[in-house]
Amino acid sequence: MSEPAGDLVAAKFQEKYGASPRIFRAPGRVNLIGEHTDYNDGFVMPAAIGSYTWIAAARREDHILEVHSSHFEEKINLSLDALAGPPRRHWSDFIRGVAATLQDAGHLLSGANLFIHGEVPLGAGLSSSASLEVSTALALSSLSGIDVPFLELVKLCQKAEHEYVGTRCGIMDQFIASFGAAGHALMLDCRSLEYELLPMPQDVRLVVCNSMVKHELASGEYNLRRADCEAGVKLLQPYLPEIRALRDVQIADLEAYQHVLPTTVYQRCRHVVTENQRVLAAAKALQSGDVDRFGHLMYRSHASLRDDYKVSCRELDVLVHLASSSPGVYGARMTGGGFGGCTVNLIKTDAASSFKTHIAQAYMESTGIAPEIYIYEPAQGAESWPSVGGHV
Ligand code: GLA
């Protein structure tokens, strides 16, 4: 499905520049469980999906990045000598930010022509942003002849999103876009950055339902949630001096000191503390092949995001409710930052296509919206791709 996209960007590049490009790609992701825990030093369990940001690129001898976006049908020029500046709320902030943070870290970049084609739906909670950042970082560093270790690329891309896009995101999305492995979910400890690849059972599929309600993380709600969590830690620290982040808080301690927290902050903290426990339990369930238990934890995660963290919306709740009464479904929940976007559904392989038909119709009846539904298997993280015309 994706391979022709590599050929397509190569052909487009060839048409524009009369030269053969090198091809790079990084995937989107779905998060199976562990939502809004990454920036609290907690645990997450995403999987990369076979939907990519593709970049055809070649080096230039000056200090210019000439960047075409097929999605926005727009071309912009950036000077590598003048990348600094606040977010401009334009898609090029991602490119500008990645190039600037690479250079600030001491990696001197060459100019480049880039043609970008994104398959990951925008604003759908499937991490189109990180897939663009990581594919850009891989393209720019490779073309400049610099070998930046993936872990450093991940951290630089996260920094770029904080400083040049304005979302104070955690590290999950950039991490899975880089370290994802085919057939596996990835369990990540966002404090130590140690991770484990967990094989997904052969007979289940990840079905992603797009509510078609677009989210906009940079618009503020995401950063507000993060600020609530940080406020909770500050208010609890006088009583629990050993804590550094919500990761360190036990549910019994949170309940004991509930009275020192405003209600909203308490609810946000309760989501994070219980969600961390659910991720650990889900990893055990997956390791022991208990998919029913895994699915049950997904439903509980959704309820917590809806009721305590308040990042769901009516359409996502409808999708999860419909899934819960559909045959062959182990579990369902919203995935990603929230406020719209997608649900992830864990489904018996042989039930996946009838689920797709059923949910599309039932969602349409309930909301008047036609959803998009994708069936995924976990995919590989960022890589360079052999171009049709050969490497430059
Ligand atoms: C967005 C952010 C991630 C993470 C999720 C919520 O995708 O980029 O870092 O916080 O939201 O789990």
Side-chain angles (χ1 to χ4, degrees):
M1 176 180 85
S2 294
E3 281 69 358
D7 295 347
L8 178 90
V9 286
K12 290 273 185 201
F13 189 97
Q14 179 85 41
E15 206 178 281
K16 282 190 195 313
Y17 294 104
S20 312
R22 290 178 63 187
I23 311 292
F24 305 88
R25 67 177 191 178
R29 64 99 188 92
V30 67
N31 188 17
L32 299 182
I33 195 156
E35 217 66 83
H36 291 276
T37 44
D38 59 352
Y39 51 81
N40 292 297
D41 275 5
F43 301 96
V44 293
M45 200 194 295
I49 54 177
S51 183
Y52 302 88
T53 298
W54 292 85
I55 301 186
R59 187 181 163 122
R60 306 170 47 120
E61 293 316 317
D62 58 14
H63 280 197
I64 299 297
L65 298 179
E66 183 168 298
V67 192
H68 293 257
S69 158
S70 73
H71 181 87
F72 293 100
E73 293 183 353
E74 202 181 350
K75 182 193 88 172
I76 51 126
N77 277 17
L78 297 167
S79 162
L80 286 170
D81 303 319
L83 295 168
R88 298 171 185 163
R89 302 190 71 77
H90 186 261
W91 61 267
S92 61
D93 284 347
F94 291 96
I95 318 298
R96 190 169 61 89
V98 166
T101 49
L102 274 164
Q103 293 214 122
D104 288 349
H107 304 299
L108 280 192
L109 299 179
S110 321
N113 295 323
L114 308 177
F115 182 90
I116 302 179
H117 172 72
E119 297 171 332
V120 188
L122 302 188
L126 299 178
S127 190
S128 56
S129 303
S131 80
L132 174 57
E133 289 154 13
V134 170
S135 52
T136 301
L138 188 61
L140 294 181
S141 56
S142 303
L143 291 177
S144 307
I146 311 163
D147 189 13
V148 187
F150 261 179
L151 190 55
E152 189 187 342
L153 277 193
V154 165
K155 291 179 183 169
L156 292 175
C157 288
Q158 183 195 21
K159 187 164 185 264
E161 186 151 345
H162 285 198
E163 294 176 4
Y164 290 82
V165 180
T167 306
R168 292 182 64 221
C169 61
I171 202 160
M172 167 171 71
D173 299 347
Q174 293 78 8
F175 200 97
I176 187 68
S178 305
F179 288 98
H184 293 77
L186 184 152
M187 159 89 169
L188 173 67
D189 177 336
C190 298
R191 174 171 280 167
S192 67
L193 299 183
E194 280 168 10
Y195 70 96
E196 197 178 343
L197 293 171
L198 303 173
M200 286 299 290
Q202 297 283 330
D203 53 348
V204 302
R205 287 287 173 274
L206 302 174
V207 181
V208 171
C209 300
N210 189 343
S211 69
M212 309 306 280
V213 178
K214 281 215 171 193
H215 77 169
E216 191 28 299
L217 294 186
S219 70
E221 284 294 326
Y222 182 91
N223 290 349
L224 284 177
R225 292 299 180 285
R226 185 168 178 157
D228 282 343
C229 294
E230 287 163 1
V233 172
K234 279 220 168 63
L235 290 166
L236 290 168
Q237 267 167 343
Y239 309 90
L240 303 166
E242 71 286 2
I243 68 168
R244 278 163 47 203
L246 287 179
R247 148 74 171 271
D248 305 310
V249 177
Q250 305 301 315
I251 189 69
D253 286 333
L254 184 66
E255 278 161 12
Y257 296 106
Q258 179 178 354
H259 60 280
V260 306
L261 302 174
T263 308
T264 307
V265 172
Y266 171 70
Q267 289 177 330
R268 306 294 187 253
C269 294
R270 185 168 58 184
H271 164 71
V272 174
V273 171
T274 57
E275 184 79 349
N276 276 330
Q277 292 176 335
R278 284 186 287 271
V279 183
L280 295 172
K284 277 205 185 115
L286 205 53
Q287 277 156 337
S288 63
D290 191 347
V291 190
D292 284 317
R293 168 104 180 111
F294 194 99
H296 174 70
L297 291 160
M298 290 173 77
Y299 287 124
R300 287 195 14 221
S301 167
H302 184 78
S304 178
L305 288 157
R306 179 190 63 210
D307 302 336
D308 273 353
Y309 219 64
K310 300 224 163 45
V311 290
S312 187
C313 63
R314 180 180 165 256
E315 291 82 358
L316 291 170
D317 296 343
V318 167
L319 282 170
V320 170
H321 178 70
L322 291 172
S324 69
S325 57
S326 303
V329 178
Y330 292 104
R333 57 183 288 279
M334 55 154 278
T335 189
F339 311 105
C342 294
T343 60
V344 55
N345 303 264
L346 202 61
I347 301 189
K348 284 198 177 105
T349 302
D350 55 14
S353 78
S354 54
F355 170 81
K356 197 174 162 178
T357 317
H358 159 73
I359 204 121
Q361 196 183 341
Y363 183 66
M364 180 68 163
E365 273 163 23
S366 176
T367 62
I369 305 171
E372 279 179 8
I373 300 174
Y374 328 101
I375 302 181
Y376 291 120
E377 285 174 71
Q380 198 65 27
E383 57 194 353
S384 61
W385 188 258
S387 86
V388 280
H391 287 196
V392 188

